[in-house]
Amino acid sequence: MSLALRVIPCLDVNAGRVVKGVNFENLRDAGDPVELAHRYDAEGADEVTFLDVSASTEGRATTLEIVARTAEEVFVPLTVGGGVRSTDDVDALLRAGADKVGVNTAAIARPELIAEVAHRFGSQVLVLSVDARRTPDGVSTPSGYEVTTHGGRRGTGIDALDWVSRAQDAGVGEILLNSIDADGTTAGFDLEMLTDVRARVQVPLIASGGAGTAEHFVEAARTGADALLAASVFHYRTLTISEVKDHLRAAGFEVR
């Protein structure tokens, strides 16, 4: 595990533009992905995550051309996800300039994909993106958390804690845990869910969903998360990456 916390801006891309909504709905435009990635690189982001949010729903691969242009602008690691269905998809994204690749929907449909990617490229390349929510009425899982797909629009009935354990065993290198309930609300990360997932896995854990203040990042760091990811607060300049890092340092955390 990394000792220094990473602060990661996330670019949710739809039809070539960065978008942001609340609970994955009512998406609004937040800018050009290449311009934003360049800005975040200059502001001190430790990594940049690029998620093509409509790729799985629309049944297509991530837009390689935008990934390539983004990779040219950033000198920190670039993680790309959305529409990744095979090891060849991973290969294409790595060749386009991605450093790590995120999988979600396709891994749920065919869990063998995790081991296939880890075997071909190494675990360090593979990030499991988990869009989890509290189970709604009529759905029951042992942990009370359910994995969703298609940008949070479809429940799977799969227990989120069981899923992250299985993925770790299969060779995933990192877990990006996004709370659908907290996403875009700026009301704070889902600390309970983060704590529960942290207790289950040893691989690096990225907290996502709900950041609204610098203190929220500190709260998430205290759960044992290795990296803190946010979108809205950075896109709309509520916070800068350096402000978040300063706040984390003041709370006693080591940052890069």
Side-chain angles (χ1 to χ4, degrees):
M1 277 189 203
S2 138
L3 293 173
L5 281 168
R6 290 170 286 151
V7 177
I8 305 174
C10 182
L11 309 177
D12 294 317
V13 179
N14 182 32
R17 298 288 293 176
V18 176
V19 295
K20 194 60 205 159
V22 177
N23 309 128
F24 279 51
E25 295 180 343
N26 302 318
L27 301 179
R28 61 182 174 132
D29 190 275
D32 176 76
V34 181
E35 289 174 12
L36 279 173
H38 180 76
R39 186 179 106 199
Y40 293 139
D41 185 56
E43 286 180 5
D46 297 304
E47 297 181 13
V48 171
T49 292
F50 177 114
L51 299 177
D52 190 329
V53 295
S54 56
S56 286
T57 305
E58 294 173 6
R60 59 174 172 77
T62 303
T63 312
L64 291 173
E65 181 255 341
I66 299 177
V67 173
R69 282 171 42 223
T70 304
E72 286 174 3
E73 291 291 333
V74 300
F75 301 98
V76 292
L78 177 64
T79 298
V80 181
V84 176
R85 291 178 187 78
S86 67
T87 55
D88 287 344
D89 289 342
V90 174
D91 186 59
L93 287 170
L94 295 175
R95 289 176 187 277
D99 297 282
K100 293 188 272 191
V101 174
V103 296
N104 179 354
T105 302
I108 292 165
R110 202 173 66 80
E112 302 79 32
L113 178 64
I114 294 171
E116 290 166 6
V117 173
H119 177 75
R120 181 169 168 185
F121 303 102
S123 292
Q124 77 285 349
V125 160
L126 185 58
V127 179
L128 182 75
S129 183
V130 180
D131 292 335
R133 66 181 177 190
R134 307 293 167 121
T135 49
D137 290 341
V139 179
S140 176
T141 63
S143 69
Y145 307 118
E146 178 191 27
V147 176
T148 70
T149 63
H150 297 81
R153 286 188 285 278
R154 292 189 197 171
T156 62
I158 296 170
D159 185 276
L161 296 189
D162 177 56
W163 177 231
V164 295
S165 297
R166 285 162 50 202
Q168 176 178 260
D169 293 344
V172 78
E174 277 187 294
I175 290 166
L176 195 175
L177 179 68
N178 189 49
S179 167
I180 297 295
D181 302 314
D183 176 74
T185 63
T186 66
F189 292 92
D190 188 328
L191 304 178
E192 186 180 14
M193 186 190 290
L194 282 167
T195 300
D196 290 345
V197 171
R198 176 76 288 168
R200 282 291 185 103
V201 296
Q202 288 74 53
V203 295
L205 175 62
I206 305 165
S208 169
T213 68
E215 185 60 25
H216 288 156
F217 288 86
V218 171
E219 292 168 357
R222 289 192 178 120
T223 69
D226 301 275
L228 310 164
L229 179 146
S232 307
V233 289
F234 296 142
H235 298 341
Y236 303 122
R237 298 185 185 267
T238 310
L239 292 169
T240 64
I241 289 162
S242 60
E243 283 171 343
V244 170
K245 289 190 170 187
D246 288 346
H247 203 76
L248 287 163
R249 282 191 196 96
F253 290 98
E254 183 184 344
V255 294
R256 298 187 176 189

